[in-house]
Amino acid sequence: MGLMGKLMTLLFGGGRNVVAQTAEVFRENAEAGALRRSEERGAALTQFGAEFGAGQTGWFDRMMDGVNRLPRPALALGTLGLFVAAMVDPVWFAARMKGIALVPEPLWWLLGVIVSFYFGARHQFKGQAYRRSIAQVAVSAPEIARSIEGLEAVESARPDLDDPAAQTTSKPAAGEANPALNAWREQER
């Protein structure tokens, strides 16, 4: 190799794109950046899905979940029961309400705290379960998108049956030999 060839190789490199490599020093390669972001999102979704994966619950967990479902209906039905009791036997109801009026105020505060913590904890638990289910859906979203794309490809390849032009009979392709189909086509003409 001559002196000029060595000089050009020294200045511009041997078989590489010096302009692109120099530009990447000042500006990110958009394609490589998009690939890195895609891999990062995929890794985050995988980690999120593993973190919030649904664990199997035992009989005790199912029983406690059933017990946790009781206070709200009990409070609602109990309140309705108080209204019915007030209409059926007002004297009995008034005696009970006089007894409730004797409950000291700190005890009412304690009851309020207990009920607030119960419903607050229940709300937080259900919110976490909801976010867990959203994470599971997000993890399966790429698979669902591929499935939908496949269905759309099949749909676009299928002729429009409402279009009269698509219903015209065509000659079978070479190598296609179906005597029953050919007879039916001839009969339809």
Side-chain angles (χ1 to χ4, degrees), residues 22 37 53 74 77 114 135 148 154:
T22 304
R37 282 189 295 278
L77 293 175
I114 291 170
I148 290 172
V154 168

Side-chain angles (χ1 to χ4, degrees), residues 22-42:
T22 304
E24 287 177 3
V25 170
F26 300 104
R27 185 175 184 280
E28 177 188 29
N29 182 337
E31 184 177 342
L35 182 61
R36 283 191 299 270
R37 282 189 295 278
S38 174
E39 290 172 353
E40 180 181 308
R41 286 184 186 131

Side-chain angles (χ1 to χ4, degrees), residues 57-74 118 122 125-126:
T57 59
W59 67 269
F60 182 76
D61 292 328
R62 289 191 305 269
M63 182 188 72
M64 290 311 297
D65 193 37
V67 169
N68 280 334
R69 293 171 190 248
L70 292 177
R72 283 185 293 176
Y118 170 79
R122 184 87 174 145
F125 176 76
K126 289 299 181 181

Side-chain angles (χ1 to χ4, degrees), residues 150-163 165-167:
L151 290 173
E152 288 173 348
V154 168
E155 181 69 24
S156 65
R158 193 179 87 192
D160 187 10
L161 298 178
D162 294 333
D163 185 13
Q167 294 180 2

